[in-house]
Amino acid sequence: GIDISFSQYIQDNVAEAISGVKGENSVKVFGADLDQLTGIAEKIEHVLDTTPGVVDAGILRAMGQPTLNIIVDRLACARFGINVSDVENVIANAIGGGVATTVLEGERRVDVAIRLPTQDRSNVERLGVLLVDAPDGSRIPLKMLANIEQVNGPFFVYREGAQRYMAVKFGILDRDLGSTVAELQARIDKEVEVPRGYSLKWAGQFDQMKEAQQKLMLIIPATLAVIFLLLFFAFNSLRDAGLVLVNVPFAAIGGILALYLTGEELSISAAIGFLSLFGIAIQDGVILISYVRKLIDDKMSHRGNISFEAIREAVIEGASLRMRPVMMTALLAGLGLLPAALSHAIGSQAQRPLALVIVGGMMTTTLLTLLVLPAIYMLVRTHKLKQ
């Protein structure tokens, strides 16, 4: 009945700070009755144990400590004319101890407390023969006035939000967190009946991931919107600002391919890598488009108007001359993160997806910035000339 698992002290502390329990992820079952919580937790543990990719599943149990339970029989006390408080005083003094007298040690007074020996106060039979004084002078055994039994009680009760809960911890190996938890949630909804008044809460890395995803869903569009606004102020043209943003999907192609070919999942680390990659891709687009615009403006200042051939020459010349700065930007980011992208050492789970996204994205964004973006710019710029 013993579950053995291996972990690290700092890892346990971090996990406990995130989810409230010593586990990477956990399912918390909230409710009032500890026996009912234990039953639900055992069913959830069975689902976790039979799901591929789930490891180290275990219940953080609350029950299991021998507890002495003494329930005073009020009807029996009434028959003998004994107050319930008198019975409780006998129990308290016998088990917990009570001050019997005070002794003097020099100028210091010391209370002397007495109670039954350990072997007596933990024995149901011996407690049952304790005598309680009745008003008529008789002495009644405690077992005739109360029900004494040793039960399986709680040794620790987890609480959150003023509610009791029992947690089932688990880890995930060789599978991505999102799809594994989605499968677990579907199976638990189908196979585990949660009574009314009880509820489940998923905590740990999964909870943090969902929170981070919600933030990124706001941060990424807001970042692109701010970048577009800055590009508009820089170029004073919605057309050119939009063309620079075309580099964003160019960069995303390489990042997605890198994750797919290496078998990595779209994690929070990878999402942050995409955010960094978009910034580098937009910088490449600005380098190219700003120089092509300068060449076209120079031609227009000399000729007064611009022809299709002049725009074509300016685009080809701009792409040729800006190849070196674009390549230098890509090599700086790509080669700098290449060791992290190829690493499989301890700790690489966090840095590898980010590095893979940037390295893969730099490959596609460099090629497409130098080959496709100039063609798109020329088509857009010469559209009115053709008409």
Side-chain angles (χ1 to χ4, degrees):
I2 298 176
D3 293 328
I4 299 175
S5 61
F6 296 90
S7 63
Q8 299 178 19
Y9 182 72
I10 295 177
Q11 181 183 0
D12 281 345
N13 288 343
V14 171
E16 191 169 12
I18 293 175
S19 63
V21 298
K22 294 184 183 298
E24 294 178 359
N25 295 280
S26 64
V27 187
K28 296 180 178 179
V29 188
F30 288 86
D33 185 75
L34 291 176
D35 291 326
Q36 187 81 351
L37 291 177
T38 302
I40 299 172
E42 287 174 348
K43 294 178 182 177
I44 292 175
E45 184 186 26
H46 175 72
V47 173
L48 294 174
D49 284 332
T50 55
T51 301
V54 178
V55 295
D56 295 332
I59 302 174
L60 300 177
R61 297 182 180 272
M63 307 296 287
Q65 177 169 280
T67 303
L68 192 63
N69 197 12
I70 303 176
I71 302 175
V72 178
D73 187 344
R74 293 178 178 270
L75 292 178
C77 291
R79 284 196 299 268
F80 292 103
I82 298 175
N83 292 327
V84 173
S85 60
D86 294 335
V87 178
E88 292 175 343
N89 287 334
V90 171
I91 297 171
N93 290 326
I95 298 176
V99 177
T101 185
T102 302
V103 298
L104 294 176
E105 290 185 356
E107 296 183 357
R108 187 177 63 170
R109 289 177 176 270
V110 180
D111 292 334
V112 178
I114 59 172
R115 62 175 178 174
L116 291 177
T118 303
Q119 65 271 19
D120 291 339
R121 63 175 182 263
S122 59
N123 188 295
V124 174
E125 296 298 328
R126 293 186 180 182
L127 287 174
V129 298
L130 284 176
L131 300 177
V132 181
D133 293 330
D136 60 1
S138 61
R139 307 186 75 186
I140 312 301
L142 181 61
K143 62 183 177 183
M144 296 180 64
L145 302 173
N147 180 32
I148 308 172
E149 59 180 349
Q150 194 172 53
V151 297
N152 186 27
F155 62 88
F156 189 87
V157 179
Y158 293 93
R159 285 185 175 87
E160 185 177 296
Q163 283 186 296
R164 288 180 173 184
Y165 75 87
M166 189 171 293
V168 187
K169 68 176 183 68
F170 66 96
I172 294 176
L173 183 66
D174 297 331
R175 280 192 69 179
D176 69 290
L177 181 60
S179 67
T180 306
V181 174
E183 181 181 345
L184 289 173
Q185 289 176 334
R187 287 194 59 190
I188 289 173
D189 289 341
K190 182 179 179 181
E191 301 176 23
V192 179
E193 181 181 354
V194 180
R196 187 174 181 178
Y198 293 78
S199 60
L200 304 181
K201 178 182 176 183
W202 297 79
Q205 293 179 352
F206 175 74
D207 186 48
Q208 295 291 311
M209 182 189 74
K210 299 301 289 185
E211 206 175 302
Q213 286 177 344
Q214 292 174 356
K215 291 180 180 178
L216 286 173
M217 288 176 66
L218 297 176
I219 292 173
I220 292 178
T223 302
L224 293 176
V226 171
I227 290 174
F228 179 79
L229 194 63
L230 294 174
L231 290 173
F232 172 72
F233 289 143
F235 292 132
N236 198 25
S237 168
L238 289 174
R239 176 197 63 201
D240 292 346
L243 285 172
V244 171
L245 285 182
V246 170
N247 253 17
V248 169
F250 290 169
I253 292 172
I256 294 171
L257 280 175
L259 291 177
Y260 175 76
L261 294 176
T262 56
E264 292 287 339
E265 302 295 335
L266 184 58
S267 60
I268 299 301
S269 175
I272 295 174
F274 276 111
L275 197 58
S276 304
L277 178 62
F278 294 160
I280 300 172
I282 289 170
Q283 180 183 352
D284 286 346
V286 170
I287 291 173
L288 177 64
I289 299 239
S290 60
Y291 191 74
V292 172
R293 276 169 53 98
K294 179 179 179 300
L295 292 176
I296 293 175
D297 291 341
D298 290 342
K299 291 181 183 295
M300 290 180 65
S301 64
H302 288 93
R303 302 178 185 179
N305 56 6
I306 194 72
S307 63
F308 176 82
E309 288 299 327
I311 293 176
R312 182 173 178 274
E313 291 174 4
V315 170
I316 294 175
E317 182 181 355
S320 302
L321 294 176
R322 293 295 92 184
M323 181 179 70
R324 183 179 296 174
V326 170
M327 290 291 292
M328 288 176 62
T329 303
L331 289 173
L332 178 64
L335 294 180
L337 289 172
L338 188 61
L342 299 177
S343 175
H344 291 275
I346 296 175
S348 63
Q349 299 90 339
Q351 63 187 12
R352 190 164 180 263
L354 183 147
L356 282 171
V357 166
I358 295 179
V359 172
M362 282 296 94
M363 294 181 183
T364 56
T365 193
T366 303
L367 292 174
L368 297 176
T369 298
L370 295 174
L371 299 177
V372 179
L373 186 59
I376 295 176
Y377 184 83
M378 188 175 68
L379 289 174
V380 173
R381 191 67 187 262
T382 59
H383 178 66
K384 292 183 179 179
L385 295 178
K386 290 182 178 180
Q387 290 180 344

